[in-house]
Amino acid sequence: IPSPPQKSLARLRSDQGDWKEAERLHREADAIYERMTDALPLDRAENLSSLALVVQAQGRRDGAKTELTAAEGWLRKGHDDDPVREAMIGGELGVAYRWIGEPLRAAKLLDTSLSLLRSVVPGDHVELANLLNNRAMVAADQGDLSAATAGFEQAAAMWRRLMGDDHPRVALATANLGVLSLRRGDWRRAAD
């Protein structure tokens, strides 16, 4: 089932920072999904998750929470034949909950997504590294610096194996480790 073109256009507008247009397009896509009798729940969850991020980017946390709650409902219904996609959407929801200041909900969604992805992916996977990095961010927010360090190290190592030393994702994880090392007072490691 093809997605409404508004969904792709909304992501493009979002990447360009045109939040109002992205929101309008995501809402149009959701209205189309609402009318479709054969829409997949994961399509709906993915669109609403992206809509929540757009709403949050405009500073409307309560609106973002409404969209996140709806997206979670569709995610729970969406156990279709694509567990990798399900884990990715759950991870995006976790990031969105982190951004609106709900780290416990974020941690639960990210942990669930990590478990699901690990159950179907035998080794390294780009999305697994993304989830590890995002879960480490939540751990750092919660003050669990040991878990955050381990998560950033795992993400960096996986991205390095998958994409090479010079990839921006490796730099991201390395920078996250540096900031975390400063928080821990480990000046020597932060300098590395």
Side-chain angles (χ1 to χ4, degrees), residues 1-8 11 25-48 74 85:
I1 302 166
S3 291
Q6 290 88 338
K7 182 177 169 185
S8 297
R11 288 220 178 221
L25 289 164
H26 276 303
R27 290 194 187 285
E28 278 186 21
D30 193 55
I32 291 168
Y33 282 131
E34 183 79 28
R35 292 189 302 269
M36 294 171 66
T37 57
D38 54 352
L40 296 174
L42 286 183
D43 288 337
R44 198 91 191 264
E46 182 179 47
N47 186 63
L48 288 168
W74 286 105
R85 184 167 177 232

Side-chain angles (χ1 to χ4, degrees), residues 105-187:
R105 190 76 198 120
K108 184 175 180 187
L109 281 159
L110 288 162
D111 289 343
T112 299
S113 295
L114 278 164
S115 293
L116 176 60
L117 195 55
R118 284 182 170 137
S119 74
V120 295
V121 174
D124 291 348
H125 190 280
V126 171
E127 219 26 71
L128 182 57
N130 289 339
L131 288 170
L132 288 166
N133 185 75
N134 290 332
R135 182 59 180 96
M137 296 290 283
V138 173
D141 292 345
Q142 295 175 308
D144 188 349
L145 303 186
S146 295
T149 299
F152 288 139
E153 287 173 343
Q154 290 171 6
M158 195 173 294
W159 278 325
R160 191 172 278 115
R161 288 189 299 270
L162 291 167
M163 300 175 197
D165 290 333
D166 297 330
H167 195 275
R169 293 282 180 164
V170 175
L172 172 68
T174 302
N176 288 339
L177 278 167
V179 169
L180 202 56
S181 295
L182 285 174
R183 283 181 64 186
R184 295 179 84 171
D186 187 349
W187 312 113

